[in-house]
Every structure is written in structure tokens, then in C-alpha cells.
Coordinates of all heavy atoms in Angstrom, one line a residue:
M1 N 16.0 1.7 -1.7 CA 15.1 0.6 -1.5 C 15.4 0.0 -0.2 O 16.6 -0.2 0.2 CB 15.3 -0.4 -2.6 CG 14.4 -1.6 -2.4 SD 14.4 -2.9 -3.7 CE 15.9 -2.6 -4.6
N2 N 14.4 -0.4 0.5 CA 14.5 -1.0 1.8 C 14.6 -2.5 1.6 O 13.7 -3.1 1.0 CB 13.3 -0.7 2.7 CG 13.4 -1.3 4.1 OD1 14.0 -2.3 4.3 ND2 12.7 -0.7 5.0
H3 N 15.7 -3.1 2.0 CA 15.9 -4.6 1.7 C 15.1 -5.5 2.6 O 15.1 -6.7 2.3 CB 17.4 -4.9 1.7 CG 18.2 -4.1 0.7 ND1 18.1 -4.4 -0.7 CD2 19.0 -3.1 0.8 CE1 18.9 -3.6 -1.4 NE2 19.4 -2.8 -0.5
D4 N 14.4 -5.0 3.5 CA 13.5 -5.8 4.4 C 12.2 -6.0 3.7 O 11.4 -6.9 4.2 CB 13.3 -5.1 5.8 CG 14.6 -5.1 6.6 OD1 15.5 -5.9 6.3 OD2 14.7 -4.2 7.5
I5 N 11.9 -5.3 2.7 CA 10.6 -5.4 2.0 C 10.9 -6.1 0.7 O 11.7 -5.7 -0.1 CB 10.0 -4.0 1.7 CG1 9.8 -3.2 3.0 CG2 8.7 -4.1 0.9 CD1 9.5 -1.7 2.8
P6 N 10.2 -7.2 0.5 CA 10.4 -8.0 -0.8 C 10.0 -7.2 -2.0 O 9.2 -6.3 -2.0 CB 9.4 -9.2 -0.6 CG 9.2 -9.3 0.9 CD 9.3 -7.9 1.4
L7 N 10.7 -7.5 -3.1 CA 10.6 -6.8 -4.4 C 9.1 -6.8 -4.9 O 8.7 -5.8 -5.5 CB 11.5 -7.3 -5.4 CG 13.0 -7.0 -5.2 CD1 13.8 -7.7 -6.3 CD2 13.2 -5.5 -5.3
K8 N 8.4 -7.8 -4.6 CA 7.0 -7.9 -5.1 C 6.2 -6.7 -4.6 O 5.3 -6.3 -5.3 CB 6.4 -9.3 -4.7 CG 6.1 -9.5 -3.3 CD 5.5 -10.8 -3.0 CE 5.4 -11.1 -1.5 NZ 5.0 -12.5 -1.3
F9 N 6.5 -6.2 -3.5 CA 5.7 -5.1 -3.0 C 6.1 -3.8 -3.7 O 5.2 -2.9 -3.9 CB 5.8 -4.9 -1.5 CG 5.3 -6.1 -0.7 CD1 6.1 -7.0 -0.2 CD2 3.9 -6.3 -0.7 CE1 5.6 -8.2 0.5 CE2 3.4 -7.4 -0.1 CZ 4.2 -8.3 0.5
Y10 N 7.3 -3.7 -4.2 CA 7.7 -2.6 -5.1 C 7.0 -2.7 -6.4 O 6.7 -1.7 -7.1 CB 9.2 -2.5 -5.2 CG 9.8 -2.0 -3.9 CD1 10.3 -2.9 -3.0 CD2 10.0 -0.6 -3.7 CE1 10.9 -2.4 -1.8 CE2 10.5 -0.2 -2.5 CZ 11.0 -1.1 -1.6 OH 11.5 -0.6 -0.4
D11 N 6.8 -3.9 -6.9 CA 6.1 -4.2 -8.2 C 4.7 -3.7 -8.0 O 4.1 -3.1 -8.9 CB 6.1 -5.6 -8.5 CG 7.5 -6.2 -8.9 OD1 8.3 -5.3 -9.3 OD2 7.6 -7.4 -8.9
I12 N 4.1 -3.9 -6.8 CA 2.7 -3.4 -6.6 C 2.7 -1.9 -6.6 O 1.8 -1.3 -7.1 CB 2.1 -4.0 -5.3 CG1 2.0 -5.5 -5.4 CG2 0.8 -3.4 -5.0 CD1 1.7 -6.2 -4.1
V13 N 3.7 -1.3 -6.0 CA 3.8 0.2 -6.0 C 3.9 0.7 -7.4 O 3.3 1.7 -7.8 CB 5.0 0.7 -5.1 CG1 5.3 2.2 -5.3 CG2 4.8 0.4 -3.6
D14 N 4.7 0.0 -8.2 CA 4.8 0.4 -9.6 C 3.5 0.4 -10.3 O 3.1 1.3 -11.1 CB 5.8 -0.4 -10.4 CG 7.3 -0.2 -9.9 OD1 7.5 0.8 -9.3 OD2 8.1 -1.1 -10.2
E15 N 2.7 -0.7 -10.1 CA 1.4 -0.8 -10.7 C 0.5 0.3 -10.2 O -0.3 0.9 -10.9 CB 0.8 -2.2 -10.4 CG -0.5 -2.5 -11.0 CD -0.5 -2.6 -12.5 OE1 0.5 -2.9 -13.1 OE2 -1.6 -2.3 -13.1
Y16 N 0.5 0.4 -8.9 CA -0.3 1.5 -8.2 C 0.0 2.9 -8.8 O -0.9 3.6 -9.1 CB -0.1 1.5 -6.7 CG -0.7 2.7 -6.0 CD1 -2.0 2.8 -5.8 CD2 0.2 3.7 -5.5 CE1 -2.5 3.9 -5.1 CE2 -0.3 4.8 -4.8 CZ -1.7 4.9 -4.6 OH -2.2 6.0 -4.0
S17 N 1.3 3.1 -9.0 CA 1.7 4.5 -9.5 C 1.1 4.7 -10.9 O 1.0 5.9 -11.3 CB 3.2 4.6 -9.5 OG 3.8 3.8 -10.4
T18 N 0.9 3.7 -11.7 CA 0.3 3.9 -13.0 C -1.2 4.1 -13.0 O -1.8 4.6 -14.0 CB 0.6 2.7 -14.0 OG1 0.0 1.5 -13.5 CG2 2.1 2.4 -14.1
E19 N -1.8 3.7 -11.9 CA -3.3 3.8 -11.8 C -3.8 5.0 -11.0 O -4.9 5.4 -11.2 CB -3.8 2.5 -11.1 CG -3.3 1.2 -11.6 CD -4.3 0.6 -12.7 OE1 -5.5 1.0 -12.6 OE2 -3.8 -0.1 -13.5
T20 N -3.0 5.5 -10.1 CA -3.4 6.6 -9.3 C -3.4 8.0 -10.0 O -2.6 8.2 -10.8 CB -2.6 6.7 -8.0 OG1 -3.1 7.6 -7.1 CG2 -1.1 7.0 -8.2
Q21 N -4.3 8.8 -9.5 CA -4.3 10.2 -10.0 C -3.2 11.0 -9.4 O -2.7 12.0 -9.9 CB -5.7 10.9 -9.6 CG -6.9 10.2 -10.3 CD -7.0 10.6 -11.7 OE1 -6.7 11.8 -12.1 NE2 -7.5 9.8 -12.5
Q22 N -2.7 10.6 -8.2 CA -1.7 11.3 -7.4 C -0.4 10.7 -7.8 O -0.1 9.6 -7.4 CB -2.0 11.2 -5.9 CG -3.4 11.6 -5.5 CD -3.6 11.2 -4.0 OE1 -2.7 11.2 -3.2 NE2 -4.8 10.8 -3.7
P23 N 0.5 11.5 -8.4 CA 1.9 10.9 -8.7 C 2.6 10.4 -7.5 O 2.4 11.0 -6.4 CB 2.6 12.1 -9.3 CG 1.5 13.1 -9.7 CD 0.4 12.9 -8.8
V24 N 3.3 9.3 -7.7 CA 4.1 8.7 -6.6 C 5.5 9.2 -6.7 O 6.2 9.0 -7.7 CB 4.0 7.2 -6.6 CG1 4.9 6.6 -5.6 CG2 2.6 6.7 -6.4
S25 N 6.0 9.9 -5.7 CA 7.4 10.4 -5.7 C 8.3 9.3 -5.3 O 7.9 8.3 -4.7 CB 7.5 11.6 -4.7 OG 7.4 11.2 -3.4
E26 N 9.6 9.5 -5.6 CA 10.6 8.5 -5.2 C 10.6 8.3 -3.7 O 10.8 7.1 -3.3 CB 12.0 8.9 -5.8 CG 13.0 7.9 -5.7 CD 12.8 6.6 -6.5 OE1 12.1 6.7 -7.6 OE2 13.1 5.5 -6.0
S27 N 10.5 9.3 -3.0 CA 10.5 9.2 -1.5 C 9.3 8.5 -0.9 O 9.4 8.1 0.2 CB 10.6 10.6 -0.9 OG 9.5 11.4 -1.1
E28 N 8.3 8.3 -1.7 CA 7.1 7.6 -1.2 C 7.2 6.1 -1.5 O 6.4 5.3 -1.0 CB 5.8 8.1 -1.9 CG 5.4 9.5 -1.5 CD 4.1 9.9 -2.2 OE1 4.2 10.2 -3.4 OE2 3.1 10.0 -1.5
R29 N 8.1 5.7 -2.3 CA 8.2 4.2 -2.8 C 8.4 3.3 -1.6 O 7.6 2.3 -1.5 CB 9.2 4.0 -3.8 CG 8.8 4.6 -5.2 CD 9.9 4.4 -6.2 NE 10.3 3.0 -6.4 CZ 9.6 2.1 -7.0 NH1 8.4 2.3 -7.4 NH2 10.1 0.8 -7.1
D30 N 9.3 3.5 -0.7 CA 9.6 2.6 0.4 C 8.4 2.6 1.4 O 7.9 1.5 1.7 CB 10.8 3.0 1.2 CG 12.1 2.6 0.5 OD1 12.1 1.8 -0.4 OD2 13.2 3.2 0.8
P31 N 7.8 3.8 1.8 CA 6.7 3.7 2.6 C 5.5 3.0 2.0 O 4.8 2.3 2.7 CB 6.4 5.2 2.9 CG 7.7 5.9 2.7 CD 8.3 5.2 1.6
L32 N 5.2 3.3 0.7 CA 4.1 2.6 0.1 C 4.3 1.1 0.0 O 3.4 0.3 0.2 CB 3.8 3.2 -1.3 CG 3.1 4.5 -1.3 CD1 3.1 5.1 -2.7 CD2 1.6 4.2 -0.9
A33 N 5.5 0.7 -0.3 CA 5.8 -0.8 -0.4 C 5.6 -1.4 1.0 O 5.0 -2.5 1.1 CB 7.3 -1.0 -0.9
H34 N 6.0 -0.7 2.0 CA 5.8 -1.2 3.4 C 4.3 -1.3 3.7 O 3.8 -2.3 4.3 CB 6.6 -0.3 4.4 CG 6.6 -0.9 5.8 ND1 6.8 -0.1 6.9 CD2 6.4 -2.1 6.3 CE1 6.7 -0.8 8.0 NE2 6.5 -2.0 7.6
Y35 N 3.6 -0.3 3.3 CA 2.1 -0.3 3.6 C 1.4 -1.4 2.8 O 0.6 -2.1 3.4 CB 1.6 1.1 3.1 CG 0.1 1.3 3.5 CD1 -0.3 1.3 4.8 CD2 -0.8 1.5 2.5 CE1 -1.7 1.5 5.1 CE2 -2.2 1.7 2.8 CZ -2.6 1.7 4.1 OH -3.9 1.9 4.4
F36 N 1.8 -1.6 1.6 CA 1.2 -2.8 0.8 C 1.6 -4.1 1.5 O 0.8 -5.0 1.6 CB 1.7 -2.8 -0.6 CG 1.0 -1.8 -1.5 CD1 1.6 -0.8 -2.1 CD2 -0.4 -2.0 -1.8 CE1 0.9 0.1 -2.9 CE2 -1.1 -1.2 -2.6 CZ -0.5 -0.1 -3.2
Q37 N 2.8 -4.2 2.0 CA 3.3 -5.4 2.7 C 2.4 -5.6 4.0 O 1.9 -6.7 4.2 CB 4.7 -5.3 3.1 CG 5.3 -6.5 3.8 CD 6.8 -6.3 4.2 OE1 7.2 -5.2 4.4 NE2 7.5 -7.4 4.2
L38 N 2.2 -4.6 4.7 CA 1.3 -4.7 5.9 C -0.1 -5.1 5.6 O -0.7 -6.0 6.2 CB 1.4 -3.4 6.7 CG 2.7 -3.0 7.3 CD1 2.6 -1.6 7.9 CD2 3.1 -4.0 8.4
L39 N -0.7 -4.4 4.6 CA -2.1 -4.7 4.2 C -2.2 -6.1 3.7 O -3.1 -6.8 4.1 CB -2.5 -3.7 3.1 CG -2.9 -2.3 3.5 CD1 -3.0 -1.4 2.3 CD2 -4.2 -2.3 4.3
I40 N -1.3 -6.5 2.8 CA -1.5 -7.8 2.2 C -1.2 -8.9 3.2 O -1.9 -10.0 3.2 CB -0.6 -7.9 1.0 CG1 -1.2 -7.0 -0.1 CG2 -0.5 -9.4 0.4 CD1 -0.4 -6.8 -1.3
A41 N -0.4 -8.7 4.2 CA -0.1 -9.7 5.3 C -1.4 -9.9 6.1 O -1.8 -11.0 6.4 CB 1.0 -9.2 6.2
R42 N -2.1 -8.8 6.3 CA -3.4 -8.9 7.1 C -4.5 -9.6 6.2 O -5.2 -10.4 6.7 CB -3.9 -7.5 7.5 CG -3.2 -7.0 8.7 CD -4.1 -5.9 9.3 NE -3.4 -5.4 10.4 CZ -3.9 -4.8 11.5 NH1 -5.2 -4.6 11.5 NH2 -3.2 -4.3 12.5
L43 N -4.5 -9.2 4.9 CA -5.5 -9.9 4.1 C -5.2 -11.4 4.0 O -6.1 -12.2 4.0 CB -5.4 -9.3 2.7 CG -6.0 -7.9 2.5 CD1 -5.6 -7.3 1.1 CD2 -7.5 -7.9 2.8
N44 N -4.0 -11.8 3.9 CA -3.6 -13.2 3.8 C -3.9 -13.9 5.1 O -4.1 -15.1 5.1 CB -2.1 -13.4 3.5 CG -1.8 -13.1 2.0 OD1 -2.7 -13.1 1.2 ND2 -0.5 -12.7 1.8
N45 N -3.9 -13.2 6.2 CA -4.3 -13.8 7.5 C -5.8 -13.7 7.8 O -6.2 -14.0 8.9 CB -3.5 -13.2 8.6 CG -2.0 -13.5 8.6 OD1 -1.6 -14.6 8.1 ND2 -1.2 -12.6 9.0
N46 N -6.5 -13.3 6.8 CA -8.0 -13.1 7.0 C -8.4 -12.2 8.2 O -9.4 -12.4 8.8 CB -8.7 -14.4 7.1 CG -8.6 -15.2 5.8 OD1 -8.7 -14.7 4.8 ND2 -8.4 -16.5 6.0
E47 N -7.5 -11.2 8.4 CA -7.8 -10.2 9.5 C -8.6 -9.1 8.9 O -8.4 -8.7 7.8 CB -6.5 -9.7 10.0 CG -5.6 -10.7 10.7 CD -4.3 -10.1 11.2 OE1 -4.3 -9.0 11.8 OE2 -3.3 -10.8 11.0
E48 N -9.5 -8.5 9.8 CA -10.3 -7.4 9.4 C -9.4 -6.2 9.2 O -8.5 -6.0 10.0 CB -11.4 -7.2 10.4 CG -12.3 -6.1 10.0 CD -13.5 -5.9 10.9 OE1 -13.9 -6.9 11.5 OE2 -14.0 -4.8 11.0
I49 N -9.7 -5.4 8.3 CA -9.0 -4.1 8.0 C -10.0 -3.0 8.0 O -10.5 -2.6 7.0 CB -8.2 -4.2 6.7 CG1 -7.2 -5.3 6.7 CG2 -7.4 -2.8 6.6 CD1 -6.5 -5.5 5.4
D50 N -10.2 -2.4 9.2 CA -11.1 -1.3 9.3 C -10.3 0.0 9.2 O -9.1 0.0 9.0 CB -11.9 -1.3 10.6 CG -11.0 -1.3 11.9 OD1 -9.8 -1.0 11.8 OD2 -11.5 -1.6 13.0
E51 N -11.0 1.1 9.3 CA -10.4 2.4 9.1 C -9.3 2.6 10.1 O -8.2 3.2 9.8 CB -11.4 3.5 9.2 CG -12.3 3.6 8.0 CD -13.3 4.8 8.0 OE1 -13.0 5.8 8.7 OE2 -14.4 4.7 7.5
D52 N -9.5 2.2 11.4 CA -8.5 2.4 12.4 C -7.2 1.6 12.1 O -6.1 2.1 12.2 CB -9.0 2.0 13.8 CG -10.1 3.0 14.3 OD1 -10.1 4.2 13.9 OD2 -10.9 2.6 15.2
A53 N -7.4 0.4 11.6 CA -6.3 -0.5 11.2 C -5.5 0.1 10.1 O -4.3 0.1 10.0 CB -6.7 -1.9 10.9
Q54 N -6.3 0.7 9.1 CA -5.6 1.3 7.9 C -4.8 2.5 8.4 O -3.7 2.7 7.9 CB -6.7 1.8 6.9 CG -7.3 0.6 6.2 CD -8.4 1.1 5.3 OE1 -8.2 2.0 4.5 NE2 -9.6 0.5 5.3
K55 N -5.4 3.3 9.2 CA -4.7 4.5 9.8 C -3.4 4.1 10.5 O -2.3 4.7 10.4 CB -5.6 5.3 10.6 CG -5.0 6.5 11.4 CD -4.6 7.6 10.4 CE -4.2 8.8 11.2 NZ -2.8 9.2 11.0
E56 N -3.5 3.1 11.4 CA -2.4 2.6 12.2 C -1.3 2.1 11.2 O -0.1 2.4 11.5 CB -2.9 1.4 13.1 CG -1.8 0.9 14.0 CD -2.3 -0.3 14.8 OE1 -3.4 -0.1 15.4 OE2 -1.6 -1.3 14.9
M57 N -1.6 1.3 10.2 CA -0.6 0.8 9.3 C 0.0 1.9 8.5 O 1.2 1.9 8.2 CB -1.2 -0.3 8.3 CG -1.5 -1.6 9.0 SD -2.2 -2.9 7.9 CE -3.8 -2.3 7.7
A58 N -0.8 2.9 8.1 CA -0.3 4.1 7.4 C 0.8 4.8 8.2 O 1.8 5.2 7.7 CB -1.4 5.0 7.0
D59 N 0.5 4.9 9.5 CA 1.4 5.6 10.4 C 2.7 4.8 10.6 O 3.8 5.4 10.5 CB 0.7 5.8 11.8 CG -0.3 6.9 11.8 OD1 -0.5 7.7 10.9 OD2 -1.1 6.9 12.8
V60 N 2.6 3.5 10.7 CA 3.7 2.6 10.8 C 4.6 2.7 9.6 O 5.8 2.8 9.6 CB 3.3 1.2 11.1 CG1 4.5 0.2 11.0 CG2 2.7 1.1 12.5
A61 N 3.9 2.7 8.4 CA 4.7 2.7 7.1 C 5.2 4.1 6.8 O 6.1 4.2 6.0 CB 3.7 2.1 6.0
G62 N 4.5 5.1 7.3 CA 4.9 6.5 7.0 C 4.3 7.0 5.7 O 4.9 7.9 5.1
I63 N 3.1 6.5 5.4 CA 2.5 7.1 4.2 C 1.5 8.2 4.7 O 1.0 8.2 5.8 CB 1.7 6.1 3.3 CG1 0.5 5.6 4.0 CG2 2.6 5.0 2.9 CD1 -0.5 4.9 3.1
Q64 N 1.2 9.1 3.7 CA 0.3 10.2 4.0 C -1.2 9.7 4.1 O -1.5 8.8 3.3 CB 0.4 11.3 3.0 CG 1.8 11.9 2.9 CD 1.9 12.9 1.8 OE1 1.0 13.1 1.0 NE2 3.1 13.6 1.7
D65 N -2.0 10.3 5.0 CA -3.3 9.8 5.1 C -4.1 9.9 3.8 O -5.0 9.1 3.6 CB -4.0 10.7 6.2 CG -3.6 10.3 7.6 OD1 -2.9 9.3 7.8 OD2 -4.0 11.0 8.5
R66 N -3.8 10.9 3.0 CA -4.5 11.0 1.7 C -4.4 9.8 0.8 O -5.2 9.6 -0.1 CB -4.0 12.3 1.0 CG -2.6 12.2 0.5 CD -2.2 13.5 -0.2 NE -0.8 13.5 -0.6 CZ -0.3 13.0 -1.7 NH1 -1.1 12.5 -2.6 NH2 1.0 13.0 -1.9
R67 N -3.4 8.9 1.1 CA -3.2 7.8 0.2 C -4.1 6.6 0.7 O -4.3 5.6 -0.1 CB -1.7 7.3 0.3 CG -0.8 8.3 -0.4 CD -0.6 7.9 -1.8 NE 0.4 8.7 -2.5 CZ 0.4 9.0 -3.7 NH1 -0.5 8.5 -4.5 NH2 1.4 9.7 -4.3
I68 N -4.6 6.6 1.9 CA -5.2 5.4 2.5 C -6.4 5.0 1.6 O -6.5 3.8 1.2 CB -5.7 5.7 3.9 CG1 -4.5 5.9 4.8 CG2 -6.6 4.6 4.4 CD1 -4.8 6.3 6.2
D69 N -7.4 5.9 1.3 CA -8.5 5.5 0.5 C -8.1 5.1 -0.9 O -8.7 4.3 -1.5 CB -9.6 6.6 0.5 CG -10.3 6.8 1.8 OD1 -10.3 5.8 2.6 OD2 -10.8 7.9 2.1
D70 N -7.2 5.9 -1.4 CA -6.7 5.6 -2.8 C -6.1 4.2 -2.9 O -6.4 3.5 -3.9 CB -5.7 6.7 -3.2 CG -5.5 6.7 -4.7 OD1 -6.5 6.6 -5.5 OD2 -4.3 6.9 -5.1
V71 N -5.3 3.8 -2.0 CA -4.7 2.5 -2.0 C -5.8 1.4 -1.8 O -5.8 0.4 -2.5 CB -3.6 2.4 -0.9 CG1 -3.2 0.9 -0.6 CG2 -2.4 3.2 -1.2
A72 N -6.8 1.7 -0.9 CA -7.9 0.7 -0.7 C -8.7 0.5 -2.0 O -9.0 -0.6 -2.3 CB -8.8 1.2 0.4
N73 N -9.0 1.6 -2.7 CA -9.7 1.5 -3.9 C -8.8 0.7 -5.0 O -9.4 -0.1 -5.7 CB -10.0 2.9 -4.5 CG -11.1 3.5 -3.7 OD1 -11.9 2.9 -3.0 ND2 -11.1 4.9 -3.7
F74 N -7.5 1.0 -5.0 CA -6.7 0.3 -5.9 C -6.7 -1.2 -5.7 O -6.8 -2.0 -6.5 CB -5.3 0.8 -5.8 CG -4.2 0.0 -6.5 CD1 -4.1 0.0 -7.9 CD2 -3.4 -0.8 -5.7 CE1 -3.1 -0.8 -8.5 CE2 -2.4 -1.6 -6.3 CZ -2.3 -1.6 -7.7
L75 N -6.5 -1.6 -4.4 CA -6.5 -3.0 -4.0 C -7.8 -3.7 -4.3 O -7.9 -4.8 -4.7 CB -6.1 -3.2 -2.6 CG -4.6 -3.0 -2.2 CD1 -4.4 -3.1 -0.7 CD2 -3.8 -3.9 -3.0
N76 N -8.9 -3.0 -4.1 CA -10.2 -3.6 -4.4 C -10.4 -3.8 -5.9 O -10.8 -4.9 -6.3 CB -11.4 -2.7 -3.9 CG -11.6 -2.7 -2.4 OD1 -11.3 -3.8 -1.8 ND2 -12.1 -1.6 -1.8
Q77 N -10.0 -2.9 -6.7 CA -10.0 -3.0 -8.1 C -9.0 -4.1 -8.6 O -9.4 -4.9 -9.4 CB -9.7 -1.7 -8.8 CG -9.8 -1.7 -10.3 CD -9.5 -0.4 -10.9 OE1 -8.9 0.5 -10.3 NE2 -10.0 -0.2 -12.1
W78 N -7.9 -4.1 -8.0 CA -6.8 -5.1 -8.4 C -7.3 -6.5 -8.0 O -7.1 -7.4 -8.8 CB -5.6 -4.7 -7.6 CG -4.3 -5.5 -7.9 CD1 -3.8 -5.6 -9.2 CD2 -3.5 -6.1 -7.0 NE1 -2.6 -6.3 -9.0 CE2 -2.4 -6.7 -7.7 CE3 -3.5 -6.3 -5.6 CZ2 -1.4 -7.4 -7.1 CZ3 -2.5 -7.0 -5.0 CH2 -1.4 -7.5 -5.8
G79 N -7.9 -6.6 -6.9 CA -8.5 -7.9 -6.5 C -9.6 -8.4 -7.3 O -9.8 -9.7 -7.4
N80 N -10.3 -7.6 -7.9 CA -11.5 -7.9 -8.8 C -11.0 -8.3 -10.2 O -11.9 -8.7 -11.0 CB -12.5 -6.8 -8.8 CG -13.2 -6.7 -7.5 OD1 -13.4 -7.7 -6.7 ND2 -13.6 -5.5 -7.1
E81 N -9.8 -8.0 -10.6 CA -9.4 -8.2 -11.9 C -8.9 -9.7 -12.2 O -8.6 -10.4 -11.4 CB -8.2 -7.3 -12.3 CG -8.7 -5.9 -12.5 CD -7.6 -4.9 -12.8 OE1 -6.4 -5.3 -12.9 OE2 -7.9 -3.7 -13.0

């Protein structure tokens, strides 16, 4: 676990892992937690998150491109609940 990433983002990864069709490996947990941290920071700052921004954050966090749309769908559904 990366101690620079608050535990709440790992909780989101845990929730995401129960909802996604694509299993989350142990090695993906830190990058996904970092990606959620980056995304939610932008959302909290009311910043626009377009496809380029998603790709850039995915590259910074180290997640695979195949996760980008899946995470976006998860957050949209999560935000509507």
C-alpha cells in the first residue's frame, strides 16, 4: 500500500472491484487508488474531466487504458446512488 494515498481511496477500489467485470489484481490496487484520488480531486475542484485528462491521469497513476471507461462508468453510477 502506498502511504501517500489516503485509505478512503482504497475503500473505493474495494467497492469498484466488486462492481467491475474485470477482476482487480493486487498489483493494480495502488495505481487504481491513485487514479481515484486524482479523479476525485478534480471533481471536488469542479474541474472538467475530458478524455485527454482521463488518459493523462491514467498515465500518471499507472493504470491500463482499458480501465478508464470502466472507472468513469463506476463513478457515474456511484455518484447517482
Side-chain angles (χ1 to χ4, degrees):
M1 175 178 20
N2 183 333
H3 296 287
D4 294 337
I5 302 170
L7 288 176
K8 65 183 174 184
F9 297 106
Y10 288 93
D11 291 341
I12 297 169
V13 171
D14 291 341
E15 182 69 25
Y16 168 74
S17 69
T18 65
E19 306 268 334
T20 184
Q21 298 280 327
Q22 306 170 36
V24 174
S25 69
E26 190 62 34
S27 64
E28 289 180 290
R29 288 181 52 74
D30 284 342
L32 279 168
H34 189 202
Y35 187 63
F36 280 115
Q37 183 181 29
L38 294 170
L39 281 170
I40 291 172
R42 281 201 181 203
L43 289 171
N44 286 337
N45 291 329
N46 293 318
E47 296 178 43
E48 186 174 328
I49 303 175
D50 59 16
E51 287 183 30
D52 291 337
Q54 290 176 48
K55 173 72 172 115
E56 181 182 315
M57 287 183 286
D59 290 344
V60 168
I63 70 163
Q64 297 175 356
D65 287 351
R66 66 182 174 87
R67 291 269 186 211
I68 295 172
D69 288 340
D70 195 43
V71 167
N73 290 335
F74 167 76
L75 286 176
N76 284 333
Q77 183 178 20
W78 186 56
N80 290 329
E81 290 179 358

